[in-house]
Amino acid sequence: VASISSKLPVIEGMESSFPPNGWALGNDDDDITFEKSVPGGFGKSGNSTKIKFSEYYNNIGAIDYLTMPPVDFSAAAGYQFTFNVAYAPFGPQYVDNLAVEVSDDCGKTWMEVYKKGGDDLATAPAIGPVEFVPTDSDWRNESINMNTYAGKSGVMIRFKAINGGGNNLYIDDINILNSTVGIKDLDFVSSISAYPNPTNGDLTVNMGTPGVLTAQILNVLGEVVSESSINNTSIVSMHFDLTTQPDGVYFLEIQSKNAKTVKKIIVSH
């Protein structure tokens, strides 16, 4: 168990490495499990995570976990755990399930706070053996009140996927936000764009709306290669010169007062 809890808010869009930094996969059978995938939730981003129940028919009942780093709720109340989900069933004979479990005793015991399966989990009609890839309208947002854990640190949260041999399940935009500011924070994240991407080194980042924020560009080793900040609420864009950086994958990390997002940038001269 990690000794340091993640500070709130938590915003994870599955846009960088997988599993995300500090997250853990539980895959006891070394078979199908959560993986990075496309598309992103509601078509607003490039990536999500999925588990391919459609290829897991040889191990019905298998359980896989995706566990977040511990979260610090010690000075927090009014927070919601939210995520976007997309799922189309195979049919009534193959029922997959998704649960969310929470532990406040370092993983010794787990409380189930969410569980849906089959038609209750579905965001699209059953499609039989056809592999499910969600359209922008095939997503649903789920929300779980976390007030039970207010005042506690080291709270662990995990997704539990229970295989029924059905069809693909996608999860994206996993956030823990204060209910009074959550919508604003999510609007901030979805409004950010970086272009051109891939870039030859001249990168523009547009925030959509003005705000006070900091931005860093990191290489695959986690080293900061460029950074900037905006303290003028009339400015909505910034520029980065990456022309001296080698070709490859980089990560744009943007932090405002209440939100954080990471976007993958490709440099190709």
Side-chain angles (χ1 to χ4, degrees):
V1 176
S3 59
I4 299 176
S5 298
S6 299
K7 299 295 183 181
L8 294 168
V10 173
I11 297 177
E12 179 52 61
M14 299 294 163
E15 294 301 312
S16 55
S17 59
F18 189 84
N21 186 34
W23 293 53
L25 289 172
N27 180 25
D28 289 345
D29 60 1
D30 290 324
D31 204 335
I32 303 294
T33 191
F34 290 98
E35 62 183 71
K36 190 171 182 177
S37 185
V38 296
F42 294 98
K44 292 185 176 181
S45 62
N47 297 107
S48 58
T49 181
K50 77 175 177 183
I51 185 164
K52 300 171 73 172
F53 290 128
S54 60
E55 297 183 7
Y56 213 177
Y57 50 83
N58 62 333
N59 201 356
I60 301 298
I63 295 174
D64 290 84
Y65 296 100
L66 179 61
T67 305
M68 300 174 60
V71 180
D72 184 4
F73 289 96
S74 60
Y79 275 80
Q80 298 282 107
F81 176 79
T82 66
F83 61 95
N84 294 328
V85 62
Y87 172 72
F90 181 102
Q93 66 271 51
Y94 299 109
V95 179
D96 307 306
N97 287 269
L98 176 68
V100 176
E101 298 180 331
V102 181
S103 174
D104 59 6
D105 59 4
C106 294
K108 295 177 183 177
T109 59
W110 293 87
M111 174 70 69
E112 186 177 273
V113 296
Y114 167 99
K115 185 177 182 180
K116 291 184 179 180
D119 290 341
D120 290 336
L121 180 61
T123 63
I127 57 173
V130 178
E131 183 175 5
F132 173 57
V133 179
T135 66
D136 294 356
S137 61
D138 286 336
W139 293 82
R140 181 179 65 237
N141 181 257
E142 303 281 24
S143 181
I144 302 166
N145 189 300
M146 300 300 291
N147 278 344
T148 300
Y149 302 96
K152 299 181 180 182
S153 62
V155 177
M156 301 175 68
I157 304 172
R158 68 184 184 185
F159 289 97
K160 178 181 180 181
I162 306 168
N163 175 41
N167 216 318
N168 297 345
L169 168 75
Y170 298 76
I171 302 171
D172 196 15
D173 303 313
I174 302 163
N175 305 314
I176 305 176
L177 300 170
N178 191 290
S179 58
T180 61
V181 298
I183 294 176
K184 180 179 179 181
D185 293 339
L186 290 174
D187 285 345
F188 159 79
V189 171
S190 62
S191 70
I192 293 173
S193 61
Y195 57 89
N197 188 19
T199 176
N200 62 7
D202 183 12
L203 182 71
T204 298
V205 179
N206 194 317
M207 276 67 70
T209 56
V212 178
L213 54 84
T214 60
Q216 295 182 325
I217 295 182
L218 301 90
N219 60 23
V220 292
L221 300 177
E223 300 167 333
V224 176
V225 299
S226 186
E227 57 187 328
S228 184
S229 62
I230 291 179
N231 295 306
N232 184 333
T233 55
S234 66
I235 298 175
V236 297
S237 65
M238 59 177 65
H239 299 273
F240 292 91
D241 182 2
L242 303 176
T243 55
T244 61
Q245 299 298 324
D247 290 359
V249 176
Y250 295 80
F251 299 102
L252 169 66
E253 183 177 285
I254 300 179
Q255 176 82 56
S256 71
K257 181 179 179 181
N258 295 310
K260 177 182 177 181
T261 186
V262 177
K263 294 183 178 294
K264 183 169 70 174
I265 305 296
I266 305 295
V267 173
S268 179
H269 297 102

